[in-house]
Amino acid sequence: MIEFSLWDILRNLLLATRWTVLLSLVAFIGGGLVGTLLLFMRIGKRRALRLFARYYVELFQGTPLLMQLFLAFFGLGLFGIDVPAWLAAAVALILWTAAFLAEIWRGCVEAIARGQWEASSSLGMGYVQQMRYVILPQALRIAIPPTVGFSVQVIKATALTSIIGFVELSKAGTMVTNATFQPFTVYGLVALIYFALCWPLSKSSQILERKLNVAHRNH
Amino acid sequence: MKYVFDFAWLGQYWPVLLKGIGITIELIAVGAVLGVALGIFCAWARALGPGWLRPAITAYVELIRNTPFLIQLFFIFFGLPSLGLQMSELQAANLAMIVNLGAYSCEIIRAGIQATPRGQFEAGASLAMSPIQTFRYVILVPSLQRIWPALSSQIVIVMLGSAVVSQIAAEDLTFAANFIQSRTFRAFEAYFVSTAIYLLLAIALRQVLAAAGLLIFPRRMRR
């Protein structure tokens, strides 16, 4: 039987961590773009689009991400495409992230006092100008801490993609366990790597919140 | 797209789905009650407890909140047996959910405790109540009431997250869907139906928790 040193295990896990990081980035950036689109639908003037965005968010927040992954994996296949795991994982994670980001950002836009809309409107600004010069710059400021905080959820969510066969940190953990028969060590290390990725983000979200709150308290 | 949808398997396999739903409900019922209990204890320990306990609770909360539930589950089910802790799939699933919700609800409840005006602690003390009595009779219920909506959302999130326990062969709703698709090869339909069921469960759970809030918290304390 081959002996595995701790370094062998750690090295293989770290190699797989690259895919966790990459998938997280894809999900976060893609989700951010789709989420922005949803946000403008949700706070816009068209009733049909508002309802669409609302039910979209309801649907994605009310069902397990695992099910969304399965549906993406098998659903894309229905169109006759041969779906690789990374594609299903990326699509499902982007759609899921978009729902949560849109909802977080909506809260931030709605937190801007009504008077700001009225004041800018009284200066003769149109909707786009109001958004561009008055609302969004302020909303962006309060949006930063929760958005950074949510990136932690995205990293953790990528662990589920191991179930549809995408090889990232969690899947590597399972594979290394099957080779070494040391689940305690391997899953312990996997947890520590996730922690090392997530904890700095959690902390900076907290710090940002404290910092930006000071400005927010003044008005 | 030439695919023809086929839901005929529902006629034969609905008992499997029903059993899965039962187990999912059981998991979240046990997980929610014990998880929130653990959260209350940890919140007390972190906000008002003895100094030596606080760093331990902080470490627990940070560790759980910054690692995926799937890995916590695998660690408990596959990792702990090497320390001599053997568990059945359901026990491991339950334990993982309790530990997970415990950490999240600790943070939420602690926020509720910290929002309590200082005067309430002082009022309790001036009535010769011990710190524990003050916590139990004066602080706890209004604190919980303050954060009940946030706590309810977290419980729903844990319920949806419980889909993952099928990975250690705990026979929940997702496990049922996996079983059905492996028998009927109707993967999309099986997951579509179970996703719809999860959505209904989430909506129902929100209603139940809102109703529970109305029951637990007396009207006169509502603001």
Side-chain angles (χ1 to χ4, degrees), chain A residues 44-164:
Chain A
K45 297 212 160 67
R46 298 282 274 289
R47 200 180 124 79
L49 291 180
R50 273 210 314 266
L51 280 181
F52 169 80
R54 204 179 119 198
Y55 286 123
Y56 178 96
V57 171
E58 273 288 303
L59 192 66
F60 278 84
Q61 293 195 342
T63 55
L65 175 61
L66 181 59
M67 285 292 145
Q68 294 163 24
L69 281 165
F70 280 144
L71 285 177
F73 192 56
F74 293 107
L76 287 176
L78 297 186
F79 293 97
I81 321 165
D82 183 27
V83 193
W86 63 264
L87 181 64
V91 168
L93 276 174
I94 285 173
L95 296 180
W96 177 83
T97 307
F100 279 82
L101 284 179
E103 193 65 3
I104 292 172
W105 292 341
R106 181 179 71 95
C108 298
V109 170
E110 285 181 356
I112 305 301
R114 267 214 78 72
Q116 302 271 341
W117 286 97
E118 289 158 2
S120 50
S121 154
S122 77
L123 291 174
M125 286 181 166
Y127 182 76
V128 178
Q129 283 178 315
Q130 282 180 311
M131 274 289 173
R132 163 75 183 80
Y133 294 107
V134 181
I135 305 300
L136 286 186
Q138 299 183 72
L140 217 59
R141 203 176 159 78
I142 12 177
I144 293 169
T147 306
V148 174
F150 184 71
S151 65
V152 175
Q153 310 290 330
V154 176
I155 295 178
K156 291 192 293 177
T158 60
L160 292 192
T161 60
S162 64
I163 296 171
I164 58 168

Side-chain angles (χ1 to χ4, degrees), chain B residues 129-148:
Chain B
M129 286 171 135
S130 71
I132 301 267
Q133 282 175 322
T134 309
F135 179 73
R136 163 73 186 79
Y137 295 106
V138 183
I139 310 298
L140 180 60
V141 176
S143 299
L144 281 179
Q145 184 175 14
R146 232 169 263 135
I147 49 81
W148 190 250

Side-chain angles (χ1 to χ4, degrees), chain B residues 21 87 223:
Chain B
I21 295 171
M87 270 171 285
R223 268 186 290 171

Side-chain angles (χ1 to χ4, degrees), chain B residues 72-84:
Chain B
Q72 294 160 16
L73 186 71
F74 281 176
F75 187 79
I76 287 174
F77 188 65
F78 298 118
L80 289 187
S82 54
L83 298 183

